[in-house]
Amino acid sequence: SLFSQIRDNLESDQSWAHIAFFKGLFDLQELLERGDLRADLIKDLERQKHLLDVLRDNPDISQHMLHQVARQVESCFATINAQTGKTGQALTENEWLMSIRSRVGIPGGTCSFDLPAYHAWQNLDPRYRQRDLEDWASELTPLGQALELILQLLRETGIPQRVVAEQGVFQQAMPAGRSFQLLRLRIDPHLNLVPEISGNRLLVSV
């Protein structure tokens, strides 16, 4: 979600979109500071590599497609694994960015009176601003690409099934001995319903 917020506002040359870009960037930085997301992604990529290796030479699997996906996983793994230091460290060391980060959560905190340097930057030629935004976003791009690939693999490996919620309730027992990582739910938007979902290793309830 945060990577989408950064990407969507990166593509705008309007100065009002910059705050949304920075908000997403700083929120992502805060998450990175709480735990080692990079190490978690490396473990997930290694797990995906193992799962793909098991499918090699399986006659029911398109080996061409398998090879393509395996190459994507290998590429993301190599890029993230080659990174040195803490992810986003260059952003943290940028005093200009950190001055904005300290004010962006305060109502009106980014006005020209409090952040004159930011105000001056906003009035630069859009091409220069765009170049800066792309440079800052690129610090976290490998992380975003790996995350999107892992989520894509999780989302596309499931087999959808149509179910009916009798009197507004649906429950399904979870088969023993299997691990599940993701539940996806689609409801006809015309119904204007919001699901409440709970689950554990034994049961999913909607």
Short mmCIF file of all heavy atoms in Angstrom, two decimals, residues 115-124:
data_model
loop_
_atom_site.label_atom_id
_atom_site.label_comp_id
_atom_site.label_asym_id
_atom_site.label_seq_id
_atom_site.Cartn_x
_atom_site.Cartn_y
_atom_site.Cartn_z
N LEU A 115 9.35 25.51 6.91
CA LEU A 115 10.28 24.78 6.04
C LEU A 115 10.57 25.59 4.77
O LEU A 115 10.12 25.24 3.68
CB LEU A 115 9.70 23.41 5.67
CG LEU A 115 9.64 22.34 6.77
CD1 LEU A 115 8.95 21.09 6.26
CD2 LEU A 115 11.04 22.00 7.27
N PRO A 116 11.32 26.68 4.89
CA PRO A 116 11.60 27.50 3.72
C PRO A 116 12.37 26.76 2.62
O PRO A 116 12.15 27.00 1.43
CB PRO A 116 12.41 28.67 4.28
CG PRO A 116 12.95 28.18 5.59
CD PRO A 116 11.92 27.24 6.12
N ALA A 117 13.26 25.84 3.02
CA ALA A 117 14.03 25.09 2.02
C ALA A 117 13.11 24.18 1.20
O ALA A 117 13.29 24.01 -0.01
CB ALA A 117 15.11 24.26 2.71
N TYR A 118 12.11 23.59 1.87
CA TYR A 118 11.14 22.75 1.15
C TYR A 118 10.29 23.59 0.21
O TYR A 118 10.00 23.20 -0.91
CB TYR A 118 10.26 22.01 2.17
CG TYR A 118 9.12 21.23 1.56
CD1 TYR A 118 9.38 20.19 0.66
CD2 TYR A 118 7.80 21.52 1.87
CE1 TYR A 118 8.34 19.46 0.09
CE2 TYR A 118 6.76 20.80 1.31
CZ TYR A 118 7.03 19.78 0.41
OH TYR A 118 6.00 19.07 -0.16
N HIS A 119 9.90 24.79 0.68
CA HIS A 119 9.11 25.70 -0.15
C HIS A 119 9.90 26.10 -1.39
O HIS A 119 9.35 26.15 -2.49
CB HIS A 119 8.73 26.94 0.67
CG HIS A 119 7.90 27.93 -0.07
ND1 HIS A 119 6.59 27.67 -0.44
CD2 HIS A 119 8.19 29.17 -0.55
CE1 HIS A 119 6.11 28.71 -1.08
NE2 HIS A 119 7.06 29.63 -1.17
N ALA A 120 11.20 26.37 -1.21
CA ALA A 120 12.05 26.73 -2.36
C ALA A 120 12.15 25.57 -3.34
O ALA A 120 12.09 25.76 -4.57
CB ALA A 120 13.43 27.14 -1.87
N TRP A 121 12.28 24.34 -2.79
CA TRP A 121 12.38 23.16 -3.66
C TRP A 121 11.10 22.96 -4.47
O TRP A 121 11.13 22.60 -5.64
CB TRP A 121 12.67 21.93 -2.79
CG TRP A 121 12.73 20.64 -3.55
CD1 TRP A 121 13.80 20.15 -4.25
CD2 TRP A 121 11.68 19.68 -3.69
NE1 TRP A 121 13.48 18.93 -4.81
CE2 TRP A 121 12.18 18.62 -4.49
CE3 TRP A 121 10.37 19.61 -3.23
CZ2 TRP A 121 11.42 17.51 -4.81
CZ3 TRP A 121 9.61 18.51 -3.55
CH2 TRP A 121 10.12 17.48 -4.33
N GLN A 122 9.95 23.22 -3.84
CA GLN A 122 8.67 23.07 -4.53
C GLN A 122 8.54 24.00 -5.73
O GLN A 122 7.77 23.72 -6.65
CB GLN A 122 7.51 23.34 -3.57
CG GLN A 122 7.20 22.18 -2.64
CD GLN A 122 5.95 22.45 -1.82
OE1 GLN A 122 5.86 23.48 -1.15
NE2 GLN A 122 5.00 21.56 -1.89
N ASN A 123 9.28 25.09 -5.70
CA ASN A 123 9.20 26.06 -6.79
C ASN A 123 10.28 25.85 -7.85
O ASN A 123 10.40 26.67 -8.78
CB ASN A 123 9.30 27.49 -6.23
CG ASN A 123 8.02 27.90 -5.53
OD1 ASN A 123 7.04 28.30 -6.17
ND2 ASN A 123 7.99 27.80 -4.20
N LEU A 124 11.04 24.76 -7.73
CA LEU A 124 11.99 24.43 -8.78
C LEU A 124 11.26 23.93 -10.02
O LEU A 124 10.07 23.59 -9.98
CB LEU A 124 12.96 23.33 -8.29
CG LEU A 124 13.96 23.70 -7.19
CD1 LEU A 124 14.73 22.45 -6.78
CD2 LEU A 124 14.91 24.80 -7.66
#
